Amino acid sequence: MTFGEQPAYLRVAGDLRKKIVDGLLPPHTRLPSQARIREEYGVSDTVALEARKVLMAEGLVEGRSGSGTYVRERPVPRRIARSGYRPSGGATPFRQEQADLGVRGTWESHSESAEASPTVAERLAITAGDRVMCTRYLFREAGEATMLSLSWEPFAVTGRTPVMLPEEGPLGGMGVVERMAAIDIVVDNVVEEVGARPGLAEELHLLGGVPGHVVLVIQRTFYASGRPVETADVVIPADRYRAAYHLPVK
């Protein structure tokens, strides 16, 4: 194979991908069988199988038990707001966006005390094993799951205060900035790092994906005078949503 030449399975996958994108293989159409691919492209069974695996890993096709492999419906990506602006009234960006779009957004949450793992401890600048409040969120838009969030707050910051439980009490659901302000902690910075990876089985089960689907993972940390006061992992289905950032210009 010369420099820059693609392996045969990638060339076959690329041609099939183009047919899907161009509409020659529309959604719900059965993908050519392994034997048909082998004959049409003059490749081996192994190459044909690997090409189909590539398309499946990319989320372009899906297997249906006892029926074959079919082209998936390609969703039009929608926006999920990530904003440095704080909306009036103390709403979080997710809740404010739902109101602005006239969409009925809902969420489920569960908080429990836990020991900080080494990774979480490093992000919060505490010692592994220290107590943290761990909160899991599942956000929905018009009933459809849109994103997951798993957050951690040090007990050394919020323990034994009215805001110890993020979704309960007088400031429940008001967001990290407002809740911290209520206990005289001024959040002055937030850092988000965005990455992508294959979704975990439990994540895809909640978000309605299939094995191999990619998710965006936003690692967010709020700071007060350089001290981390909350960190979270926000997980978004990459094939259905885009993280839209609105950043203030100073």
Side-chain angles (χ1 to χ4, degrees), residues 31-78:
L31 193 72
S33 67
Q34 187 169 314
R36 177 73 179 274
I37 293 174
R38 182 190 65 216
E39 295 171 3
E40 182 175 345
Y41 293 94
V43 296
S44 67
D45 280 331
T46 300
V47 169
L49 177 61
E50 290 302 314
R52 289 159 62 91
K53 286 182 178 179
V54 168
L55 298 178
M56 191 167 289
E58 292 176 350
L60 294 173
V61 300
E62 60 184 356
R64 299 179 186 175
S65 180
S67 179
T69 304
Y70 291 80
V71 177
R72 292 184 64 239
E73 188 80 41
R74 299 185 68 200
V76 177
R78 288 176 283 171

Side-chain angles (χ1 to χ4, degrees), residues 172-186:
M174 293 298 287
V176 175
V177 174
E178 290 73 22
R179 290 175 48 251
M180 293 298 167
I183 55 175
D184 298 323
I185 294 176
V186 179

